[in-house]
Structures are given as C-alpha cells and as structure tokens.
Amino acid sequence: MGSQSDWPTMEMATKPLTDLGVPYATAVVSAHRTPQRMVEFATTAHERGTQVIIAGAGGSAHLPGMIAAMTPLPVIGVPVASKFMTGMDSLLSIVQMPKGVAVATQAVGASGAFNAGLMAAQMLSLTDPELQKRLIAWREQQSAGVPFEVE
C-alpha cells in the first residue's frame, strides 16, 4: 500500500486470502515518498517468489501503475478512498493505464480490496488444484449463506 493510512482498506484484501489459506505479505511502498523502496520491491518481487501483487493507493494513486511498469507479475490495483474526491481521483489514476502496462483495477474502497484478494486467489488457483478446490468450496458456502426468503 502507498501509506500506512491505507491499511484499514487494504486489510480487507487479506480476508479472502486468509479464508482460502493463501500466504501473503504486506508492505508500505509509496511511489512518491519511498520511490527507491518501490523500485526495489517491484523489480525483485518475482525473485522472492511473489506471484501476484495487490497494490492499493489513494489520491494521485500512482503505485499500482508504477509497480506494473517494473514487474512481470500481474498487478491488481485498489483505489483507496481519498478525502478530496471520495476515491474517484484514485480510481481514475489507476484505471487509466497506457497501452502495454496492465493493472486489473477493482472498485474503490473495502469492497475493491476484498475483491482484489479474491481475484489474486483465483489467479493463483489456475496452477494450484488444492486452492481451486478450496475456492469452489468457499463459493458454495457463500451461496449457501444467502437466504431465499425475505424476512
């Protein structure tokens, strides 16, 4: 995430990962305040065994795109709500990537972060049959928890 203040939003990305038994790591890596840290993080992530990166940022929100420009890994961007434009500035900064630099952008805020974690697990399940089984069971449990009747 771009800032420690993004954690309440980005923590939601850990929920489906934890539920599905997917290991993860977290870090504060700012495109603007810690650019050298960001370069090191992005350029070496694949060497550390990372397979998918979820990058959340608010405001100018350059972090997901900058990381995507420096890594061969898939990057999922989460726009964090900002105090100025309630996250629309973050969303537009992340979703408007130039041709050739892909970021899978999610919704603004906690729902987007949760779905980023879920999407990362889905990506990883393509090559992990056991994770795919857990994901199928998780979806079945989610569907079973939705009542048919209106109370």
Side-chain angles (χ1 to χ4, degrees), residues 44-124:
T44 63
H46 67 286
E47 296 168 359
R48 292 189 311 274
T50 300
Q51 294 177 292
V52 178
I53 296 173
I54 300 170
S60 59
H62 292 119
L63 184 63
M66 290 300 297
I67 288 176
M70 291 186 271
T71 185
L73 300 173
V75 176
I76 304 169
V78 178
V80 175
S82 63
K83 58 186 171 185
F84 300 110
M85 296 178 68
T86 64
M88 284 304 296
D89 51 342
S90 308
L91 174 63
L92 294 174
S93 292
I94 296 171
V95 79
Q96 284 299 116
M97 292 303 300
K99 180 179 176 182
V101 183
V103 174
T105 308
Q106 298 297 310
V108 174
S111 293
F114 186 93
N115 283 344
L118 182 57
M119 179 170 276
Q122 290 170 311
M123 289 175 171
L124 295 169

